[in-house]
Every structure is written in C-alpha cells, then in structure tokens.
Amino acid sequence: MNLDPIATIIDAHLHVWDPSRGVYPWLGEHLAPVNRAMTLREVMPELTDRGVGAVVLVQSADAGFDTDLMFETARSHPEVAGVVGWVPLDLPAEAAGRLARLRDEPLFAGVRNLIHERADPDWILRPDVDAGLGLLEQAEVPFDFVAGGPQALATAAEVARRHPGLHLILDHLGAPPLDADSGQAQQWLHDLEVLAGHPRVYAKLSGLYLGPDPAGDRLRRAGSHIRAALRLFGSDRLMYGGDWPICLLHEPYGRTLDIVRHSLPDLDATGWHDILTATATRVYGIDLRRPASARP
C-alpha cells in the first residue's frame, strides 16, 4: 500500500478481536455477525477500495490479551500505524508499570478503557481512576473517551478540566442524537461546545450509524452534527474513524466516510488533509514514514 503521508487516509478507529484469546464481556450471540474472530486481513480489501492506507487499532477489552493481539496484528500488517491499548486506570500502581512497558512499543499510540460498559457512569471520575488519568497526562499519552449515556459529554468535560494537559479524544463524536428530538440535540450541542472549549480535546467522526433512513432525515441531522463539530473544533481537532467491525452491525465499511464527505461539501483540501490524515498523525504520534522493517 502507498504510505505517502500526504496521500494516505488514516482510519483512526478500527478493531480486531478473537474470543478464543479471552473474554469480551460485551460480545455474545446477540451480536452474531461479529461474535467471532475479526482480523485485519478480512477488512483489507475494503480499506484498499476506500484509499485507506493506515489504521489505528483501538482496544476492545479491558484486559491485556486484547492489547497483545493488536500488537501481534501490527507485526504482520504494516498498515497498522498505531495501537490504542489498555491499562487498568483504577489500579494506578499497576497502570504505571503496564504503561511503562507499553511505551517501549514503537506503535503504542494511546489508552482506552470501556467506560461506557460500566454500571457506574461516574467511574471515570473516581479518585483511583483520576490518579490513573494523571499518569497518562504526565506521560503525554492520549486517552480515548468513549461516550455512554446522556451525561457522558459533561463527564468528559470534567475529565478535561481536571487534566488540562491530557490529550482526550472523544470517540464517535460523543454519540450525537440522530432522531427528531430537538431537546436532546440542543443538550448534545451545548455539552460538545463546553468540551471543545478545552484545547487538548479532539473528536473522531466515527460511529455515525443512520439505520433505515428513506427520507434522509437522519443523514441531514448527522450532517448538521458534523458541521457543528467542525465549527467548534476546527478540522485540526477532528479525525475519521470507520469503527470496523462494529459498523457491520449497521452497514458496510465506508459508509461513515461517505456521510462525512456528504456533510462537508465545502471543506477545502487542508481541512480534508486534517480530518483524513494530519490530526490522527499529530495526536497519536504516528510516523507513516517508518519502514515495515522497523515495526515491532
């Protein structure tokens, strides 16, 4: 694949997993299409068709085996430009040791925990977890924040307030409402504006699934949300993510990219370069010029 950093599209949010390696508590028969090993090799033809030349693998389980699998995938796929792994943020001493080991990996790009799967919506604000986030802030390691529930954006803003030096990446644009509830949309926009006021917060244009939309109403709302994000963050704080294979529960790979392109018809070349390449490169510390022989 062509890894010219000017021409390469980076998919900043892609998963691989293998249930034979360990437990993914959220995965089961109710997610039958993806309740199996999902490998990068499977999606490679679609990435090629879409001009995606590099990907960031993002954690799928709060366990070490999942991060190990991503680094193993990287060793056989030079298309992997970064890995967002896991450390136990609620165990700061253990997190410090694991973080030190991960930082020895050339492709280590950031940390995520499945905070949206936890029963306590304020888990991320607990003192022990806050100490773990402090480790990331001190080490200048980005943190992917995945939203779950109506209070998630306000919670993310509180994390950003407590840790102004932390590079916080909002996954899936904070799950904006796509149905016709103006109150929810106004609250989401207000919370996103507050969050965007923190200069080290970024957002992924990912996970925007329209579902059945014969009249195009959800597409129009998605477009409005994407344009709001562009206005609030600027293109240099936005990045594209395809969210494969979760996207397969809703639509084929690449539909999110189509939605983003449709929503920003007037964006100039610099803006597209930011969203499709430069923001992820800068925030995750990606080096597209690193030869395959130098990868782990």
Side-chain angles (χ1 to χ4, degrees):
M1 282 188 166
N2 176 17
L3 288 183
D4 177 351
I6 302 303
T8 297
I9 295 175
I10 298 175
D11 184 330
H13 200 96
L14 191 145
H15 305 285
V16 294
W17 57 69
D18 185 352
S20 73
R21 299 283 295 265
V23 176
Y24 299 83
W26 56 271
L27 188 59
E29 291 301 324
H30 64 297
L31 300 176
V34 299
N35 186 28
R36 57 182 177 83
M38 305 300 299
T39 68
L40 186 58
R41 188 178 307 278
E42 183 172 337
V43 72
M44 285 305 302
E46 285 78 10
L47 297 178
T48 301
D49 287 346
R50 291 289 182 162
V52 176
V55 302
V56 176
L57 298 181
V58 177
Q59 65 96 226
S60 303
D62 288 343
F65 77 86
D66 177 65
T67 301
D68 294 342
L69 174 63
M70 289 189 289
F71 282 117
E72 290 174 19
T73 299
R75 281 190 277 275
S76 58
H77 287 278
E79 299 82 12
V80 177
V83 170
V84 175
W86 169 81
V87 301
L89 292 175
D90 54 345
L91 300 171
E94 184 178 333
R98 182 167 178 80
L99 184 61
R101 293 191 296 274
L102 288 174
R103 294 183 73 194
D104 288 335
E105 294 278 0
L107 294 183
F108 176 58
V111 165
R112 190 173 85 148
N113 279 209
L114 299 183
I115 58 178
H116 63 309
E117 294 290 328
R118 295 184 176 272
D120 180 3
D122 293 325
W123 180 86
I124 194 72
L125 301 178
R126 284 177 12 183
D128 51 353
V129 182
D130 194 69
L133 290 170
L135 294 173
L136 303 185
E137 181 181 23
Q138 184 176 15
E140 298 185 340
V141 172
F143 177 68
D144 267 51
F145 186 104
V146 56
Q151 299 300 317
L153 292 190
T155 301
E158 175 61 15
V159 170
R161 186 192 68 79
R162 293 183 183 187
H163 300 280
L166 178 66
H167 292 275
L168 190 151
I169 302 165
L170 180 66
D171 289 351
H172 312 323
L173 200 53
L178 296 178
D179 294 316
D181 186 323
S182 60
Q184 288 184 3
Q186 290 173 5
Q187 185 63 52
W188 172 85
L189 181 59
H190 169 76
D191 291 342
L192 190 73
E193 185 171 7
V194 172
L195 189 57
H198 298 274
R200 295 198 177 188
V201 174
Y202 310 83
K204 288 183 181 178
L205 302 178
S206 60
L208 302 171
Y209 303 124
L210 304 184
D213 189 34
D217 293 334
R218 291 167 66 87
L219 177 59
R220 284 189 287 273
R221 293 186 194 103
S224 176
H225 297 331
I226 290 170
R227 289 187 292 274
L230 179 64
R231 173 175 58 83
L232 293 172
F233 286 91
S235 62
D236 61 339
R237 291 166 63 194
L238 298 176
M239 62 185 85
Y240 159 69
D243 198 26
W244 187 90
I246 291 296
C247 67
L248 300 180
L249 299 172
H250 308 275
E251 59 200 23
Y253 177 81
R255 176 61 172 147
T256 295
L257 186 55
D258 291 340
I259 293 168
V260 173
R261 290 189 185 279
H262 179 273
S263 301
L264 302 175
D266 300 323
L267 189 63
D268 61 17
T270 298
W272 281 120
H273 181 63
D274 285 341
I275 292 172
L276 299 180
T277 304
T279 302
T281 298
R282 184 180 70 256
V283 177
Y284 281 132
I286 291 170
D287 181 5
L288 291 178
R289 294 183 174 88
R290 182 186 292 118
S293 60
R295 293 176 182 242

